[in-house]
Amino acid sequence: MRFSSLTFLSLIAAGAIANPLDLRPRATLSSFAGTNAYWLPFLTSDADVAATFSAVQAAGLKVLRTWGFQDSTTCTGVHFQCWASSPSSSTPSINTGSDGLQRLDAVVAAAEKYGVKLVIPFVNNWGDYGGMDVYVSKLGLGSHSEFYTSTKAQEVYMDYVKTLVERYKSSDAILAWQLANEPRCNGCSTSIITTWAASMSAYIKSLDPNKLVSLGDEGFFNRSSSTSYPYQGGEGIDFEENLKITTLDYGIAHMYPSNWGQTYEWGNQWISDHAEACRKAGKSCVIEEYGVPVKGATRDHVVPVALVRRAIDVGVDMFWQFGLTLSTGKSSDDGFTIYTDDSDFQTLVVDWANSR
């Protein structure tokens, strides 16, 4: 999710057989309900991390997606990579200290304890928590697109990926590694991200052949005959072509109808088109983020009924996002958060999870 432009999200799913927590490569994903809590690794209290997973488990949610990145140029607070040197000459240091990957250690340990599986992306497309443009700036590159094509950028990225994968690959808590959160390459040929995704997913599989790997994209199509922005490939994503990558185990799509000039009802076709593409590719797809940015009647109607939970072949979904009260107050409220003390938490989260 891009935090600076939040709107309604809803995604697609298709194909649902086998054990949802089967970690074999190319495994299909069965029906389960999950959630997102991007903020978890940045908590400084182990007790708060444990409280979150306890609440997730109690709600019946099986999988949680959280950030595996924090690229800092100030190198203060919780950060995983420190980019303190001047542009064009710097490579980051990986912070394994108590304000670094030890915070992610606490997340993985709590997930193991409470039986919740994790999806962990390695880098952000957006500027929140660093992201690809920090790589571009600090390595003296010229544009966002060079993150995907620069040998130096990929060496740094792969070094970080290797650190995380080798640190956690023995953990049963990891369901899937994810190349990036919402990778885009505006105005680029879609072959740039497809080539990058094929190369990087193969690299991850070489490090850890026993976990699932996903791209983490928004599911944009590349259909020249369409007049609809999410179908035109302008963001450098070709969902159908990326499904052909053998080292990507399942497909993902995100949806922002308001940002894309679409109605909520438009999402029914978006979902159906993704479901069909996934069936043809013989892969599962995941509703990885969805939600409504207002509490009340609209959320109570749209979340359980329209676009998501009555969609054809929906089997795997992870709502955006989980919230609860911690020792420091409420967890991040981006407008989409459903808190454990919200009046509709039981119906939108618990009852739904228990029905899967």
Side-chain angles (χ1 to χ4, degrees):
M1 174 175 283
R2 184 180 183 180
F3 303 104
S4 60
S5 59
L6 298 174
T7 55
F8 174 79
L9 303 126
S10 154
L11 305 114
I12 77 88
I17 60 174
N19 184 339
L21 305 182
D22 186 345
L23 300 181
R24 293 171 300 172
R26 301 293 303 278
T28 51
L29 298 169
S30 186
S31 177
F32 67 77
T35 190
N36 291 259
Y38 76 89
W39 41 266
L40 258 172
F42 314 121
L43 298 178
T44 56
S45 165
D46 288 358
D48 282 344
V49 173
T52 302
F53 278 100
S54 177
V56 168
Q57 180 197 58
L61 301 166
K62 304 299 185 185
V63 179
L64 183 145
R65 178 170 171 257
T66 194
W67 291 171
F69 52 79
Q70 166 57 307
D71 304 295
S72 178
T73 57
T74 63
C75 305
T76 58
V78 176
H79 61 283
F80 301 155
Q81 290 198 98
C82 173
W83 295 81
S85 302
S86 59
S88 77
S89 62
S90 70
T91 54
S93 59
I94 297 174
N95 181 9
T96 59
S98 60
D99 61 351
L101 290 181
Q102 289 180 33
R103 299 314 312 145
L104 195 55
D105 292 347
V107 171
V108 173
E112 291 172 348
K113 178 179 178 180
Y114 289 96
V116 176
K117 300 297 183 181
L118 297 172
V119 176
I120 298 181
F122 296 115
V123 69
N124 204 4
N125 178 73
W126 310 110
D128 308 281
Y129 300 95
M132 295 178 185
D133 286 343
V134 170
Y135 285 72
V136 170
S137 173
K138 286 296 185 178
L139 295 175
L141 306 177
S143 66
H144 187 84
S145 64
E146 290 186 69
F147 171 83
Y148 303 105
T149 59
S150 162
T151 299
K152 186 60 178 176
Q154 293 318 296
E155 287 175 350
V156 174
Y157 172 80
M158 291 165 70
D159 184 53
Y160 183 65
V161 166
K162 183 177 181 180
T163 297
L164 259 62
V165 171
E166 292 189 342
R167 193 176 183 94
Y168 303 120
K169 70 179 182 180
S170 64
S171 173
D172 289 338
I174 307 299
L175 175 66
W177 302 114
Q178 195 164 85
L179 271 62
N181 174 53
E182 299 185 337
R184 290 188 183 190
C185 190
N186 183 264
C188 301
S189 166
T190 59
S191 64
I192 289 178
I193 286 182
T194 297
T195 298
W196 174 77
S199 176
M200 292 302 108
S201 59
Y203 175 67
I204 294 168
K205 287 290 190 182
S206 75
L207 298 172
D208 183 3
N210 297 314
K211 302 292 194 303
L212 302 176
V213 177
S214 59
L215 176 52
D217 59 305
E218 294 155 281
F220 294 127
F221 288 99
N222 183 31
R223 298 177 177 177
S224 59
S225 60
S226 177
T227 59
S228 177
Y229 156 71
Y231 284 81
Q232 292 179 334
E235 298 294 352
I237 292 290
D238 186 333
F239 181 77
E240 290 160 303
E241 195 66 24
N242 294 336
L243 281 176
K244 298 176 184 177
I245 299 172
T246 59
T247 44
L248 290 178
D249 295 303
Y250 60 95
I252 294 167
H254 298 185
M255 187 170 73
Y256 295 78
S258 298
N259 279 11
W260 300 345
Q262 310 296 334
T263 65
Y264 290 159
E265 290 71 23
W266 169 91
N268 289 298
Q269 187 64 49
W270 180 249
I271 290 170
S272 296
D273 287 344
H274 282 83
E276 179 61 22
C278 289
R279 279 194 293 269
K280 288 181 178 179
K283 291 184 178 181
S284 299
C285 286
V286 175
I287 302 178
E288 191 174 70
E289 302 178 11
Y290 67 92
V292 173
V294 293
K295 299 181 186 296
T298 300
R299 172 183 283 176
D300 293 348
H301 173 70
V302 172
V303 170
V305 178
L307 305 183
V308 178
R309 297 179 178 180
R310 291 178 61 188
I312 298 171
D313 291 331
V314 168
V316 184
D317 74 271
M318 302 168 64
F319 75 90
W320 187 281
Q321 69 171 328
F322 193 86
L324 76 167
T325 300
L326 302 167
S327 64
T328 54
K330 284 187 175 293
S331 61
S332 174
D333 186 3
D334 57 12
F336 290 85
T337 307
I338 303 178
Y339 289 97
T340 56
D341 58 359
D342 282 350
S343 61
D344 53 8
F345 182 81
Q346 178 69 35
T347 54
L348 296 186
V349 178
V350 179
D351 292 349
W352 175 242
N354 289 336
S355 74
R356 307 314 302 277

